[in-house]
């Protein structure tokens, strides 16, 4: 079918020009599964992930005229997805609480190398990701699960690249420290 080969930007132009929900359906079908998977990985609940995915696409539909094409549509969609999931978790008050002072007392002042972060055992990593804040979890997912560049993360979160680097560093430090202090057998 002809519309399957259309770029996202072409679909967005058609949606904005005509308001035709058919074109939004094409865009939805193209990105729904990846948005749902992101929601599921962050929310850890299938029903919540389904509901939030639906809500995200409603927000996207009504916000599409604000998309200026300065970044890829996928980056803009990820930004909405991560921010929506973080807000959802905050509203549910299921944000894990880890004493910052404890982490800072134990933290090493040196840079945390990616190798040390990537060497954490999977079961420890899963546990630690549940213990950190949703925004820290989101930035780690963006970098390591979605393989987004620092530039893409900076665009998605609307923060400077140096802020992205600092947030990544801090999130990795927390995960490493949590794993070192809580050895899972």
């Amino acid at each position: 079918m002809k519309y399957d080969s259309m770029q996202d930007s072409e679909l967005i132009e058609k949606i904005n020009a005509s308001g035709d929900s058919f074109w939004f359906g094409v865009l939805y079908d193209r990105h729904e599964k990846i948005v749902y998977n992101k929601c599921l990985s962050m929310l850890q609940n299938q029903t919540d992930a389904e509901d939030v995915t639906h809500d995200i696409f409603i927000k996207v539909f009504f916000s599409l005229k604000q998309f200026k094409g300065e970044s890829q549509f996928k980056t803009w969609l990820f930004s909405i997805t991560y921010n929506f999931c973080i807000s959802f978790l905050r509203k549910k008050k299921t944000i894990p609480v880890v004493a910052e002072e404890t982490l800072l007392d134990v933290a090493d002042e040196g840079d945390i190398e990616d190798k040390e972060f990537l060497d954490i055992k999977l079961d420890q990593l899963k546990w630690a990701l549940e213990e950190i804040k949703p925004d820290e979890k989101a930035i780690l997912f963006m970098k390591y699960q979605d393989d987004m560049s620092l530039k893409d993360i900076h665009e998605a979160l609307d923060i400077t690249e140096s802020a992205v680097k600092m947030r990544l560093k801090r999130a990795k430090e927390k995960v490493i420290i949590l794993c070192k202090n809580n050895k899972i057998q």
Side-chain angles (χ1 to χ4, degrees), residues 155-171:
E155 289 173 359
L157 298 179
D158 194 26
I159 58 176
T160 65
E161 282 191 44
S162 62
V164 170
K165 290 177 187 176
M166 183 54 69
R167 289 183 187 185
L168 276 169
K169 179 183 183 297
R170 288 179 180 159

Side-chain angles (χ1 to χ4, degrees), residues 62-78:
F62 288 110
S63 302
L64 208 49
K65 288 196 185 292
Q66 296 172 3
F67 177 68
K68 303 295 182 208
E70 295 168 356
S71 63
Q72 292 182 8
F73 173 74
K74 190 175 179 179
T75 301
W76 185 72
L77 180 60
F78 276 9

